[in-house]
Coordinates of all heavy atoms in Angstrom, one line a residue:
M1 N 85.8 -65.9 -40.5 CA 85.4 -65.9 -41.9 C 84.9 -67.2 -42.3 O 83.9 -67.3 -43.1 CB 86.6 -65.5 -42.7 CG 86.4 -65.2 -44.1 SD 85.4 -63.8 -44.3 CE 85.1 -63.8 -46.0
G2 N 85.5 -68.3 -41.8 CA 85.1 -69.6 -42.2 C 83.7 -69.9 -41.7 O 82.9 -70.6 -42.4
A3 N 83.4 -69.5 -40.5 CA 82.0 -69.7 -39.9 C 81.0 -69.0 -40.7 O 79.9 -69.5 -41.0 CB 82.0 -69.3 -38.5
I4 N 81.3 -67.8 -41.1 CA 80.3 -67.0 -41.9 C 80.1 -67.6 -43.3 O 79.0 -67.7 -43.7 CB 80.9 -65.5 -42.0 CG1 80.9 -64.8 -40.7 CG2 80.0 -64.7 -43.0 CD1 81.6 -63.5 -40.7
F5 N 81.2 -68.0 -43.9 CA 81.1 -68.7 -45.2 C 80.3 -70.0 -45.1 O 79.5 -70.3 -46.0 CB 82.5 -68.9 -45.8 CG 82.4 -69.6 -47.2 CD1 82.0 -68.9 -48.3 CD2 82.9 -70.9 -47.3 CE1 81.9 -69.5 -49.5 CE2 82.8 -71.5 -48.5 CZ 82.4 -70.8 -49.6
G6 N 80.6 -70.8 -44.1 CA 79.9 -72.1 -43.9 C 78.5 -71.9 -43.6 O 77.6 -72.6 -44.2
T7 N 78.1 -70.9 -42.8 CA 76.7 -70.6 -42.6 C 76.0 -70.1 -43.8 O 74.9 -70.6 -44.1 CB 76.6 -69.6 -41.4 OG1 77.3 -70.1 -40.3 CG2 75.1 -69.4 -41.1
A8 N 76.6 -69.2 -44.5 CA 76.0 -68.7 -45.8 C 75.8 -69.8 -46.8 O 74.7 -69.9 -47.4 CB 76.8 -67.6 -46.3
L9 N 76.8 -70.7 -47.0 CA 76.7 -71.8 -47.9 C 75.6 -72.8 -47.5 O 74.8 -73.2 -48.4 CB 78.1 -72.5 -48.0 CG 78.1 -73.7 -48.9 CD1 77.9 -73.3 -50.4 CD2 79.5 -74.4 -48.8
S10 N 75.5 -73.1 -46.2 CA 74.5 -74.0 -45.8 C 73.1 -73.4 -46.0 O 72.2 -74.2 -46.4 CB 74.7 -74.4 -44.3 OG 74.6 -73.3 -43.5
L11 N 72.9 -72.1 -45.7 CA 71.6 -71.5 -45.9 C 71.2 -71.5 -47.4 O 70.1 -71.8 -47.7 CB 71.6 -70.1 -45.3 CG 71.6 -70.1 -43.8 CD1 71.7 -68.6 -43.3 CD2 70.4 -70.8 -43.2
V12 N 72.2 -71.2 -48.3 CA 71.9 -71.2 -49.7 C 71.6 -72.6 -50.2 O 70.6 -72.8 -50.9 CB 73.1 -70.6 -50.5 CG1 73.0 -70.9 -52.0 CG2 73.3 -69.2 -50.2
L13 N 72.3 -73.6 -49.7 CA 72.0 -75.0 -50.1 C 70.6 -75.4 -49.6 O 69.8 -76.1 -50.3 CB 73.0 -75.9 -49.6 CG 74.4 -75.9 -50.4 CD1 75.4 -76.8 -49.7 CD2 74.2 -76.3 -51.8
T14 N 70.3 -75.0 -48.3 CA 69.0 -75.4 -47.7 C 67.9 -74.8 -48.5 O 66.9 -75.4 -48.8 CB 69.0 -75.0 -46.3 OG1 70.1 -75.6 -45.6 CG2 67.7 -75.5 -45.6
V15 N 67.9 -73.5 -48.7 CA 66.9 -72.8 -49.4 C 66.7 -73.2 -50.8 O 65.6 -73.4 -51.4 CB 67.1 -71.2 -49.3 CG1 66.1 -70.5 -50.2 CG2 66.9 -70.8 -47.9
G16 N 67.9 -73.4 -51.5 CA 67.9 -73.9 -52.9 C 67.3 -75.3 -53.0 O 66.5 -75.6 -53.9
G17 N 67.7 -76.1 -52.0 CA 67.2 -77.5 -52.0 C 65.7 -77.5 -51.8 O 64.9 -78.3 -52.4
A18 N 65.2 -76.7 -50.9 CA 63.8 -76.6 -50.6 C 63.0 -76.1 -51.8 O 61.9 -76.6 -52.2 CB 63.5 -75.8 -49.4
A19 N 63.6 -75.1 -52.5 CA 62.9 -74.6 -53.7 C 62.9 -75.6 -54.8 O 61.8 -75.8 -55.5 CB 63.7 -73.3 -54.2
V20 N 63.9 -76.4 -55.0 CA 64.0 -77.4 -56.1 C 63.0 -78.6 -55.7 O 62.4 -79.1 -56.6 CB 65.4 -77.9 -56.3 CG1 65.5 -79.1 -57.2 CG2 66.3 -76.8 -56.9
A21 N 63.0 -78.9 -54.4 CA 62.1 -80.0 -54.0 C 60.7 -79.7 -54.2 O 59.9 -80.6 -54.4 CB 62.4 -80.4 -52.6
T22 N 60.3 -78.5 -54.0 CA 58.8 -78.1 -54.1 C 58.4 -77.8 -55.5 O 57.2 -77.7 -55.8 CB 58.5 -76.9 -53.2 OG1 59.3 -75.8 -53.6 CG2 58.7 -77.2 -51.8
E23 N 59.4 -77.7 -56.4 CA 59.1 -77.4 -57.8 C 58.4 -78.6 -58.5 O 58.8 -79.7 -58.3 CB 60.4 -77.1 -58.5 CG 60.3 -76.8 -60.0 CD 61.7 -76.5 -60.5 OE1 62.3 -75.5 -60.1 OE2 62.2 -77.3 -61.3
G24 N 57.4 -78.3 -59.3 CA 56.7 -79.4 -60.0 C 57.1 -79.3 -61.5 O 58.0 -78.6 -61.9
G25 N 56.4 -80.1 -62.3 CA 56.7 -80.0 -63.7 C 57.3 -81.3 -64.2 O 57.4 -82.3 -63.5
P26 N 57.7 -81.3 -65.5 CA 58.3 -82.5 -66.1 C 59.6 -82.9 -65.4 O 60.4 -82.0 -65.1 CB 58.5 -82.2 -67.5 CG 58.5 -80.7 -67.6 CD 57.7 -80.2 -66.5
G27 N 59.8 -84.2 -65.2 CA 61.0 -84.6 -64.5 C 61.0 -84.2 -63.0 O 62.0 -84.0 -62.4
A28 N 59.8 -84.1 -62.4 CA 59.7 -83.7 -61.0 C 60.4 -84.7 -60.1 O 60.9 -84.3 -59.0 CB 58.3 -83.5 -60.6
A29 N 60.4 -85.9 -60.4 CA 61.0 -86.9 -59.5 C 62.5 -86.7 -59.4 O 63.1 -86.8 -58.3 CB 60.8 -88.3 -60.0
Q30 N 63.2 -86.3 -60.5 CA 64.6 -86.0 -60.5 C 64.9 -84.7 -59.7 O 65.8 -84.7 -58.9 CB 65.2 -85.9 -61.9 CG 65.2 -87.2 -62.7 CD 65.6 -86.9 -64.1 OE1 65.6 -85.8 -64.6 NE2 65.8 -88.0 -64.8
H31 N 64.0 -83.7 -59.9 CA 64.2 -82.5 -59.2 C 63.9 -82.7 -57.7 O 64.6 -82.1 -56.8 CB 63.3 -81.4 -59.7 CG 63.7 -80.9 -61.1 ND1 64.9 -80.3 -61.3 CD2 63.1 -81.0 -62.3 CE1 65.0 -80.0 -62.6 NE2 63.9 -80.4 -63.2
Y32 N 62.9 -83.5 -57.4 CA 62.6 -83.8 -56.0 C 63.7 -84.4 -55.3 O 64.1 -84.0 -54.2 CB 61.3 -84.7 -56.0 CG 60.8 -85.0 -54.6 CD1 60.0 -84.0 -54.0 CD2 61.0 -86.2 -54.0 CE1 59.5 -84.3 -52.7 CE2 60.5 -86.5 -52.8 CZ 59.7 -85.5 -52.1 OH 59.2 -85.7 -50.9
L33 N 64.4 -85.4 -55.9 CA 65.5 -86.1 -55.3 C 66.7 -85.1 -55.1 O 67.3 -85.1 -54.1 CB 65.9 -87.3 -56.1 CG 67.1 -88.1 -55.6 CD1 66.8 -88.7 -54.3 CD2 67.5 -89.2 -56.6
A34 N 67.0 -84.4 -56.2 CA 68.1 -83.4 -56.1 C 67.8 -82.4 -55.1 O 68.7 -82.0 -54.3 CB 68.3 -82.8 -57.5
G35 N 66.6 -81.9 -55.0 CA 66.2 -80.9 -54.0 C 66.4 -81.4 -52.6 O 67.0 -80.7 -51.7
H36 N 66.0 -82.7 -52.3 CA 66.2 -83.2 -51.0 C 67.7 -83.5 -50.7 O 68.1 -83.4 -49.5 CB 65.3 -84.5 -50.8 CG 64.0 -84.1 -50.4 ND1 63.0 -83.7 -51.3 CD2 63.4 -84.2 -49.2 CE1 61.9 -83.5 -50.7 NE2 62.1 -83.7 -49.4
V37 N 68.5 -83.8 -51.7 CA 69.9 -84.0 -51.4 C 70.5 -82.7 -51.0 O 71.3 -82.6 -50.1 CB 70.6 -84.6 -52.7 CG1 72.1 -84.5 -52.6 CG2 70.2 -86.1 -52.9
L38 N 70.2 -81.6 -51.8 CA 70.7 -80.3 -51.4 C 70.2 -79.8 -50.1 O 71.0 -79.2 -49.3 CB 70.3 -79.3 -52.5 CG 71.1 -79.4 -53.8 CD1 70.5 -78.4 -54.8 CD2 72.5 -79.1 -53.6
L39 N 69.0 -80.1 -49.8 CA 68.4 -79.8 -48.5 C 69.1 -80.5 -47.4 O 69.5 -79.9 -46.4 CB 66.9 -80.1 -48.5 CG 66.0 -79.6 -47.3 CD1 66.0 -78.1 -47.3 CD2 64.6 -80.2 -47.5
G40 N 69.4 -81.8 -47.5 CA 70.1 -82.5 -46.5 C 71.5 -82.0 -46.3 O 72.0 -81.9 -45.2
V41 N 72.2 -81.7 -47.4 CA 73.6 -81.2 -47.3 C 73.6 -79.9 -46.7 O 74.5 -79.6 -45.8 CB 74.2 -81.2 -48.8 CG1 75.5 -80.4 -48.7 CG2 74.5 -82.6 -49.3
G42 N 72.7 -79.0 -47.0 CA 72.6 -77.7 -46.4 C 72.4 -77.7 -44.9 O 73.0 -77.1 -44.1
I43 N 71.4 -78.6 -44.5 CA 71.1 -78.7 -43.1 C 72.2 -79.3 -42.4 O 72.6 -78.9 -41.2 CB 69.8 -79.5 -42.9 CG1 68.6 -78.6 -43.4 CG2 69.6 -79.8 -41.4 CD1 67.3 -79.3 -43.4
G44 N 72.9 -80.3 -43.0 CA 74.0 -81.0 -42.3 C 75.2 -80.0 -42.1 O 75.8 -80.0 -41.1
L45 N 75.4 -79.2 -43.2 CA 76.5 -78.2 -43.1 C 76.2 -77.2 -42.0 O 77.1 -76.7 -41.3 CB 76.7 -77.6 -44.4 CG 78.0 -76.7 -44.6 CD1 79.2 -77.4 -44.2 CD2 78.0 -76.1 -46.0
L46 N 74.9 -76.8 -41.9 CA 74.6 -75.8 -40.9 C 74.7 -76.4 -39.5 O 75.3 -75.7 -38.6 CB 73.1 -75.4 -41.1 CG 72.5 -74.3 -40.1 CD1 73.3 -73.0 -40.2 CD2 71.1 -74.1 -40.4
I47 N 74.3 -77.6 -39.3 CA 74.5 -78.2 -38.0 C 76.0 -78.4 -37.7 O 76.4 -78.1 -36.5 CB 73.8 -79.6 -38.0 CG1 72.3 -79.4 -38.0 CG2 74.2 -80.4 -36.7 CD1 71.5 -80.6 -38.2
A48 N 76.8 -78.8 -38.6 CA 78.2 -78.9 -38.4 C 78.9 -77.6 -38.0 O 79.7 -77.5 -37.1 CB 78.9 -79.5 -39.6
T49 N 78.4 -76.5 -38.7 CA 79.0 -75.2 -38.4 C 78.6 -74.7 -37.0 O 79.4 -74.2 -36.3 CB 78.5 -74.2 -39.5 OG1 78.9 -74.6 -40.8 CG2 79.0 -72.8 -39.3
L50 N 77.3 -74.9 -36.7 CA 76.9 -74.6 -35.3 C 77.6 -75.4 -34.3 O 77.9 -74.8 -33.2 CB 75.4 -74.7 -35.2 CG 74.5 -73.8 -36.1 CD1 73.0 -74.1 -36.0 CD2 74.8 -72.3 -35.6
M51 N 77.8 -76.7 -34.5 CA 78.5 -77.5 -33.5 C 79.9 -77.0 -33.3 O 80.5 -76.9 -32.2 CB 78.5 -78.9 -33.9 CG 77.1 -79.6 -33.7 SD 77.1 -81.3 -34.3 CE 78.4 -82.1 -33.4
R52 N 80.6 -76.7 -34.5 CA 82.0 -76.2 -34.4 C 82.1 -74.9 -33.6 O 83.0 -74.7 -32.8 CB 82.6 -76.1 -35.8 CG 84.0 -75.7 -35.8 CD 84.6 -75.7 -37.2 NE 84.2 -74.5 -37.8 CZ 84.3 -74.3 -39.1 NH1 84.7 -75.2 -39.9 NH2 83.9 -73.1 -39.6
A53 N 81.1 -74.0 -33.9 CA 81.1 -72.7 -33.2 C 80.9 -72.9 -31.7 O 81.5 -72.3 -30.8 CB 80.1 -71.8 -33.8
G54 N 80.0 -73.8 -31.4 CA 79.7 -74.1 -30.0 C 80.8 -74.7 -29.2 O 81.1 -74.3 -28.1
V55 N 81.6 -75.6 -29.9 CA 82.7 -76.2 -29.3 C 83.8 -75.2 -29.1 O 84.5 -75.2 -28.0 CB 83.2 -77.4 -30.1 CG1 84.6 -77.9 -29.7 CG2 82.2 -78.6 -30.0
R56 N 84.0 -74.3 -30.0 CA 85.0 -73.2 -29.9 C 84.7 -72.3 -28.7 O 85.6 -72.0 -27.9 CB 85.1 -72.4 -31.2 CG 85.9 -73.0 -32.2 CD 86.1 -72.0 -33.4 NE 86.9 -72.6 -34.4 CZ 87.1 -72.0 -35.6 NH1 86.6 -70.8 -35.8 NH2 87.9 -72.6 -36.5
M57 N 83.4 -72.0 -28.6 CA 83.0 -71.1 -27.4 C 83.2 -71.8 -26.1 O 83.7 -71.3 -25.1 CB 81.6 -70.7 -27.6 CG 81.4 -69.7 -28.7 SD 79.6 -69.3 -29.0 CE 79.0 -68.8 -27.4
L58 N 82.9 -73.1 -26.1 CA 83.0 -73.9 -24.9 C 84.5 -74.0 -24.5 O 84.9 -73.9 -23.3 CB 82.4 -75.3 -25.1 CG 82.4 -76.2 -23.9 CD1 81.5 -75.7 -22.8 CD2 82.0 -77.6 -24.3
L59 N 85.4 -74.3 -25.5 CA 86.8 -74.4 -25.2 C 87.4 -73.0 -24.8 O 88.3 -73.0 -23.9 CB 87.6 -74.9 -26.4 CG 87.3 -76.4 -26.7 CD1 88.0 -76.8 -28.0 CD2 87.7 -77.3 -25.6
A60 N 86.9 -72.0 -25.4 CA 87.4 -70.6 -25.0 C 87.0 -70.3 -23.6 O 87.8 -69.7 -22.8 CB 86.9 -69.6 -26.0
R61 N 85.8 -70.7 -23.2 CA 85.3 -70.4 -21.9 C 86.1 -71.2 -20.9 O 86.5 -70.8 -19.8 CB 83.8 -70.7 -21.8 CG 83.2 -70.4 -20.4 CD 81.8 -70.6 -20.3 NE 81.1 -69.9 -21.3 CZ 79.9 -70.3 -21.9 NH1 79.4 -71.4 -21.5 NH2 79.3 -69.5 -22.8
A62 N 86.4 -72.5 -21.2 CA 87.1 -73.4 -20.3 C 88.6 -72.9 -20.1 O 89.1 -72.9 -19.0 CB 87.1 -74.8 -20.8
S63 N 89.2 -72.4 -21.2 CA 90.6 -72.0 -21.0 C 90.6 -70.6 -20.3 O 91.6 -70.4 -19.6 CB 91.2 -71.9 -22.4 OG 90.6 -70.8 -23.1
S64 N 89.6 -69.8 -20.4 CA 89.7 -68.5 -19.7 C 89.4 -68.7 -18.2 O 89.9 -68.0 -17.4 CB 88.6 -67.5 -20.3 OG 87.3 -68.0 -20.0
Q65 N 88.6 -69.7 -17.9 CA 88.4 -70.0 -16.4 C 89.6 -70.7 -15.8 O 89.9 -70.5 -14.6 CB 87.2 -70.9 -16.3 CG 85.9 -70.2 -16.6 CD 84.7 -71.2 -16.5 OE1 84.8 -72.4 -16.3 NE2 83.5 -70.6 -16.6
S66 N 90.4 -71.4 -16.6 CA 91.5 -72.1 -16.0 C 92.7 -71.1 -15.8 O 93.6 -71.4 -15.0 CB 92.0 -73.2 -16.9 OG 92.5 -72.7 -18.1
R67 N 92.7 -70.0 -16.4 CA 93.7 -69.0 -16.2 C 93.5 -68.2 -15.0 O 94.4 -67.5 -14.5 CB 93.8 -68.1 -17.4 CG 94.3 -68.7 -18.7 CD 94.4 -67.8 -19.8 NE 94.8 -68.5 -21.0 CZ 94.6 -68.1 -22.2 NH1 94.0 -66.9 -22.4 NH2 94.9 -68.8 -23.3
K68 N 92.3 -68.2 -14.4 CA 92.0 -67.4 -13.2 C 92.7 -68.1 -12.0 O 92.6 -69.4 -11.9 CB 90.5 -67.3 -13.0 CG 89.8 -66.4 -14.0 CD 88.4 -66.3 -13.7 CE 87.6 -65.5 -14.8 NZ 86.2 -65.5 -14.6
P69 N 93.2 -67.4 -11.1 CA 93.8 -68.1 -9.9 C 92.7 -68.7 -9.1 O 91.6 -68.1 -8.9 CB 94.5 -66.9 -9.1 CG 93.9 -65.7 -9.6 CD 93.4 -66.0 -11.0
T70 N 92.9 -69.9 -8.6 CA 91.9 -70.6 -7.8 C 91.9 -70.1 -6.3 O 90.8 -70.1 -5.7 CB 92.2 -72.1 -7.8 OG1 93.5 -72.3 -7.3 CG2 92.1 -72.7 -9.2
S71 N 93.0 -69.7 -5.8 CA 93.0 -69.1 -4.4 C 93.7 -67.8 -4.4 O 94.5 -67.5 -5.3 CB 93.7 -70.1 -3.5 OG 95.0 -70.2 -3.9
A72 N 93.3 -67.0 -3.4 CA 93.9 -65.7 -3.4 C 95.4 -65.8 -3.0 O 95.8 -66.6 -2.1 CB 93.2 -64.8 -2.3
Q73 N 96.2 -65.0 -3.6 CA 97.6 -65.0 -3.3 C 97.9 -64.2 -2.1 O 97.2 -63.2 -1.8 CB 98.4 -64.3 -4.5 CG 98.3 -65.0 -5.8 CD 99.1 -66.2 -5.9 OE1 100.0 -66.4 -5.1 NE2 98.7 -67.2 -6.7
P74 N 98.8 -64.7 -1.2 CA 99.0 -63.9 0.0 C 99.7 -62.6 -0.3 O 100.5 -62.5 -1.3 CB 100.0 -64.8 0.8 CG 100.6 -65.7 -0.2 CD 99.5 -65.9 -1.3
E75 N 99.4 -61.6 0.5 CA 100.0 -60.3 0.3 C 101.5 -60.3 0.5 O 101.9 -60.9 1.5 CB 99.3 -59.3 1.2 CG 97.9 -58.9 0.9 CD 97.8 -58.3 -0.5 OE1 98.6 -57.4 -0.8 OE2 96.8 -58.6 -1.2
A76 N 102.2 -59.8 -0.4 CA 103.7 -59.7 -0.2 C 104.1 -58.6 0.7 O 103.6 -57.5 0.6 CB 104.3 -59.5 -1.6
S77 N 105.0 -58.9 1.6 CA 105.5 -57.9 2.6 C 106.5 -57.1 1.8 O 107.3 -57.6 1.0 CB 106.0 -58.5 3.8 OG 107.1 -59.3 3.5
P78 N 106.6 -55.8 2.2 CA 107.6 -55.0 1.5 C 109.0 -55.4 1.9 O 109.3 -55.7 3.1 CB 107.3 -53.6 2.0 CG 106.4 -53.7 3.1 CD 105.7 -55.0 3.1
A79 N 109.9 -55.5 0.9 CA 111.2 -56.0 1.2 C 112.2 -54.8 1.3 O 111.9 -53.8 0.7 CB 111.6 -57.0 0.1
T80 N 113.3 -55.0 2.0 CA 114.3 -54.0 2.1 C 115.2 -54.1 0.8 O 115.6 -55.2 0.5 CB 115.1 -54.2 3.3 OG1 114.2 -54.2 4.5 CG2 116.1 -53.1 3.5
V81 N 115.4 -53.0 0.2 CA 116.3 -53.0 -1.0 C 117.6 -52.4 -0.6 O 117.6 -51.3 -0.1 CB 115.6 -52.3 -2.1 CG1 116.5 -52.2 -3.3 CG2 114.2 -52.9 -2.5
T82 N 118.6 -53.1 -0.9 CA 120.0 -52.5 -0.6 C 120.6 -52.2 -2.0 O 120.5 -52.9 -2.9 CB 120.9 -53.4 0.2 OG1 120.9 -54.7 -0.5 CG2 120.3 -53.6 1.5
M83 N 121.3 -51.0 -2.0 CA 122.0 -50.6 -3.2 C 123.5 -50.8 -3.0 O 124.0 -50.4 -2.0 CB 121.7 -49.2 -3.6 CG 120.2 -48.9 -3.8 SD 119.6 -49.6 -5.3 CE 120.5 -48.7 -6.5
L84 N 124.1 -51.4 -3.9 CA 125.6 -51.6 -3.8 C 126.2 -50.3 -4.3 O 125.7 -49.6 -5.2 CB 126.0 -52.7 -4.7 CG 125.5 -54.1 -4.3 CD1 126.0 -55.1 -5.4 CD2 126.1 -54.5 -3.0
P85 N 127.3 -49.9 -3.7 CA 128.0 -48.7 -4.1 C 128.5 -48.8 -5.5 O 129.0 -49.9 -6.0 CB 129.2 -48.5 -3.1 CG 129.4 -49.9 -2.6 CD 128.1 -50.6 -2.6
V86 N 128.5 -47.7 -6.2 CA 128.9 -47.7 -7.6 C 130.4 -47.5 -7.7 O 130.9 -46.5 -7.1 CB 128.2 -46.6 -8.4 CG1 128.7 -46.6 -9.9 CG2 126.7 -46.8 -8.3
R87 N 131.1 -48.4 -8.3 CA 132.6 -48.2 -8.4 C 132.9 -47.3 -9.6 O 132.3 -47.5 -10.7 CB 133.2 -49.6 -8.6 CG 133.3 -50.4 -7.4 CD 134.3 -51.5 -7.6 NE 133.6 -52.6 -8.1 CZ 134.3 -53.7 -8.6 NH1 135.6 -53.7 -8.6 NH2 133.6 -54.7 -9.0
S88 N 133.8 -46.5 -9.4 CA 134.2 -45.7 -10.5 C 135.2 -46.5 -11.4 O 136.0 -47.2 -10.9 CB 134.9 -44.4 -10.1 OG 136.1 -44.7 -9.3
T89 N 135.0 -46.4 -12.6 CA 135.9 -47.2 -13.5 C 137.1 -46.4 -13.8 O 137.2 -45.2 -13.8 CB 135.1 -47.4 -14.9 OG1 134.8 -46.2 -15.5 CG2 133.9 -48.3 -14.6
A90 N 138.2 -47.1 -14.0 CA 139.5 -46.5 -14.4 C 139.4 -46.0 -15.8 O 138.9 -46.7 -16.7 CB 140.6 -47.5 -14.2
P91 N 139.8 -44.7 -16.0 CA 139.7 -44.2 -17.3 C 140.6 -44.9 -18.3 O 141.8 -45.2 -17.9 CB 140.0 -42.7 -17.2 CG 140.8 -42.7 -15.9 CD 140.3 -43.8 -15.0
A92 N 140.2 -45.1 -19.5 CA 141.1 -45.7 -20.5 C 142.1 -44.7 -20.9 O 141.9 -43.5 -21.0 CB 140.2 -46.2 -21.7
P93 N 143.3 -45.2 -21.1 CA 144.4 -44.3 -21.5 C 144.1 -43.8 -22.9 O 143.7 -44.5 -23.8 CB 145.6 -45.1 -21.5 CG 145.2 -46.5 -21.6 CD 143.8 -46.6 -20.9
M94 N 144.2 -42.5 -23.1 CA 144.0 -41.8 -24.4 C 145.3 -41.8 -25.2 O 146.3 -41.5 -24.6 CB 143.4 -40.5 -24.2 CG 142.0 -40.5 -23.6 SD 141.4 -38.8 -23.7 CE 139.9 -39.0 -22.8
R95 N 145.1 -42.0 -26.4 CA 146.3 -41.9 -27.3 C 146.0 -41.0 -28.5 O 144.9 -40.8 -28.8 CB 146.6 -43.3 -27.8 CG 147.1 -44.3 -26.7 CD 147.5 -45.6 -27.2 NE 147.9 -46.4 -26.0 CZ 148.0 -47.7 -26.1 NH1 147.7 -48.3 -27.2 NH2 148.3 -48.4 -25.0
G96 N 147.0 -40.6 -29.1 CA 146.9 -39.8 -30.3 C 146.4 -38.4 -30.0 O 146.7 -37.8 -29.0
R97 N 145.6 -37.9 -30.9 CA 145.2 -36.5 -30.8 C 144.2 -36.3 -29.7 O 143.9 -35.2 -29.2 CB 144.7 -36.0 -32.1 CG 143.4 -36.7 -32.6 CD 143.0 -36.1 -33.9 NE 142.4 -37.2 -34.7 CZ 141.6 -37.0 -35.7 NH1 141.5 -35.8 -36.2 NH2 141.1 -38.0 -36.3
H98 N 143.5 -37.3 -29.2 CA 142.6 -37.2 -28.1 C 143.2 -37.0 -26.7 O 142.6 -36.6 -25.8 CB 141.7 -38.4 -28.0 CG 140.9 -38.6 -29.3 ND1 139.9 -37.8 -29.7 CD2 141.0 -39.6 -30.3 CE1 139.4 -38.2 -30.8 NE2 140.1 -39.3 -31.2
A99 N 144.5 -37.3 -26.6 CA 145.2 -37.2 -25.4 C 145.4 -35.8 -24.9 O 145.7 -35.5 -23.8 CB 146.6 -37.9 -25.5
A100 N 145.4 -34.8 -25.9 CA 145.7 -33.5 -25.5 C 144.5 -32.9 -24.8 O 144.2 -32.5 -23.9 CB 145.9 -32.6 -26.8

């Protein structure tokens, strides 16, 4: 969600800054400067968002590769399983009406 919001915000700032920078009319110098500031912030935010997404993908790829076994595990031979005899438990003495 953060990457989507960051990309959308950077695109809005970039397009808005370009629109303000190309606008003419009275006070064009102020608009020109403001437009280029917005344009720079938008492009910078877009680059930062792309770099963060790239680093996340790179780290995810590196961690998934490190989880794979590097060498094949030797086949396990079947083991003999022994079962211990089950001991019967001594019944608990019953008292009261359950003893009948």
Side-chain angles (χ1 to χ4, degrees):
M1 186 69 186
I4 294 170
F5 179 71
T7 305
L9 179 63
S10 66
L11 290 176
V12 166
L13 287 175
T14 304
V15 171
V20 171
T22 58
E23 178 181 294
Q30 293 173 348
H31 290 296
Y32 185 76
L33 180 62
H36 275 77
V37 167
L38 286 175
L39 188 62
V41 169
I43 291 173
L45 188 58
L46 180 63
I47 290 171
T49 303
L50 292 176
M51 285 177 55
R52 187 173 78 195
V55 168
R56 279 187 180 178
M57 288 173 53
L58 184 67
L59 290 176
R61 184 178 302 152
S63 68
S64 69
Q65 288 177 353
S66 66
R67 291 181 186 161
K68 293 180 182 175
T70 55
S71 62
Q73 298 286 336
E75 290 294 322
S77 60
T80 305
V81 177
T82 55
M83 298 292 291
L84 296 175
V86 179
R87 283 196 272 169
S88 61
T89 59
M94 293 190 185
R95 296 185 180 163
R97 63 181 150 165
H98 299 291

